[in-house]
């Protein structure tokens, strides 16, 4: 009798193990599909057991370019200009914005981005991301960091109060897709001079049909980052990404109206430093102020947000700002913490600390 009891227990354990193995890799147990993933190899077909009823016959020309299979939406000869985009990646009905920066911009609130200029330490990034900013402006235009270091920082505290953002170096596929695949929710593109550059930046920031972003994977799709957002990352990110284009040159000013009107542009940034650099005039001079006002007018006419340095937080119509770096934040924080005790060190008459410190 005891032997029968142990055999029964063993059978139950074996059945449970088999059931668990069968469901491993699914989310929520039996009857649910694995979490959507951009990895093309995540759900490989079983070798020799998968049927492809609409596949071209082996060794034969299927004439697919000229004739669509029965039931296809796009009939007739293939023409990309007439292609009706499918609904496989539509956001679910009633989907809500989950990026707090995008939501705040849509509501007209003032958005701040703290600048992480040269640190690669996840602890410093996370401290900045929980300090009170809306997003972190990770600097990739003027710093020598690599994308691996940036990705490690962003995935350390994806639930921080400030979302990951970045200023990329170029309006190119590699830069913008590296940023987004690593998890960026705010993308700032510098030195946009022409309508064509604005369209290129937009194309790499958005999935089709609005843009040309490739679905190649990356940690943004992981459940530990944005893989489990309501509606799914692929289907909702086009509604949640924030794209900011910087106007910094005389050529950019010439084309500011066209740049701001590109569909998908969330905001234009009046570059306080480089508009002076490229115009030859300093802030408060009439020529400089004219340049800033050209960007202002372009944003107003296009109905997009207007960004600038945080010192302009009270300037009319500016609602999006770049704040100081991590070094500046430490300096300001220490000064605020110490108050009158700051810089009251003793003054020895001899030794390396005898001389005034610069």
């Amino acid at each position: 009798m005891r032997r029968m009891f142990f055999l029964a227990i063993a059978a139950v354990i074996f059945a449970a193990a088999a059931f668990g193995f069968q469901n491993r890799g699914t989310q929520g147990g039996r009857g649910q599909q694995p979490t959507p993933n951009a990895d093309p190899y995540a759900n490989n077909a079983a070798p020799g057991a998968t049927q492809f009823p609409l596949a071209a016959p082996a060794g034969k020309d299927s004439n697919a370019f000229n004739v669509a299979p029965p039931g296809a939406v796009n009939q007739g000869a293939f023409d990309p200009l007439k292609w009706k985009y499918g609904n496989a990646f539509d956001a679910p009905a009633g989907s809500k914005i989950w990026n707090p920066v995008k939501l705040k911009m849509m509501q007209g609130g003032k958005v701040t981005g703290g600048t992480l200029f040269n640190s690669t330490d996840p602890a410093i990034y996370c401290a900045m991301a929980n300090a009170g900013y809306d997003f972190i402006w990770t600097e990739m235009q003027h710093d020598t960091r690599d994308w691996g270091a940036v990705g490690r920082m962003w995935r350390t505290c994806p639930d921080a109060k400030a979302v990951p953002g970045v200023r990329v170096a170029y309006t190119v596929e590699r830069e913008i897709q590296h940023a987004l695949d690593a998890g960026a929710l705010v993308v700032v593109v510098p030195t946009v001079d022409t309508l064509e550059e604005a369209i290129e930046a937009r194309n790499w920031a958005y999935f089709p049909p609005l843009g040309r972003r490739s679905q190649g994977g990356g940690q943004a799709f992981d459940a530990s980052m944005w893989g489990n957002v309501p509606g799914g990352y692929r289907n909702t990110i086009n509604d949640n990404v924030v794209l900011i284009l910087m106007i910094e040159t005389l050529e950019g000013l010439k084309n500011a109206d066209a740049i701001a009107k590109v569909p998908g542009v969330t905001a234009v940034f009046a570059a306080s430093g480089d508009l002076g650099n490229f115009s030859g005039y300093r802030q408060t001079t009439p020529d400089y102020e004219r340049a800033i006002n050209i960007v202002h007018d372009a944003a107003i006419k296009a109905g997009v947000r207007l960004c600038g340095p945080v010192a302009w937080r009270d300037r009319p119509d500016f609602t999006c700002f770049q704040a100081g770096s991590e070094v500046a934040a430490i300096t300001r924080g220490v000064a605020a913490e110490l108050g009158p005790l700051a810089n009251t060190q003793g003054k020895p008459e001899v030794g390396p600390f005898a001389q005034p410190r610069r």
Side-chain angles (χ1 to χ4, degrees), residues 38-174:
D39 182 358
Y41 305 105
N43 299 298
N44 279 346
T50 305
Q51 301 297 314
F52 301 93
L54 296 179
K60 295 183 179 180
D61 184 346
S62 68
N63 197 29
F65 194 92
N66 297 300
V67 180
V73 172
N74 293 279
Q75 293 291 325
F78 174 76
D79 185 349
L81 297 178
K82 297 179 180 179
W83 187 265
K84 298 176 182 177
Y85 192 76
N87 59 8
F89 300 106
D90 288 353
S95 292
K96 296 182 178 181
I97 300 298
W98 49 265
N99 177 359
V101 174
K102 186 65 171 283
L103 183 63
K104 191 174 182 180
M105 283 186 156
M106 292 171 64
Q107 294 171 342
K110 293 188 175 183
V111 171
T112 58
T115 306
L116 192 81
F117 196 88
N118 51 29
S119 178
T120 58
D121 186 343
I124 293 178
Y125 169 80
C126 292
M128 287 277 289
N130 282 306
Y133 302 108
D134 294 299
F135 71 96
I136 297 302
W137 175 305
T138 308
E139 182 56 55
M140 292 295 281
Q141 181 191 18
H142 291 292
D143 193 69
T144 58
R145 270 183 298 242
D146 59 40
W147 285 109
V150 172
R152 284 190 292 275
M153 290 190 293
W154 289 354
R155 69 172 175 257
T156 300
C157 51
D159 297 325
K161 296 175 183 177
V163 306
V166 62
R167 175 160 64 177
V168 296
Y170 316 102
T171 57
V172 296
E173 178 179 9
R174 184 183 189 279

Side-chain angles (χ1 to χ4, degrees), residues 187-203:
V187 177
V188 182
V189 183
T191 325
V192 178
D193 289 338
T194 64
L195 171 63
E196 290 73 22
E197 284 183 278
I199 292 173
E200 183 181 19
R202 187 278 312 279
N203 282 348

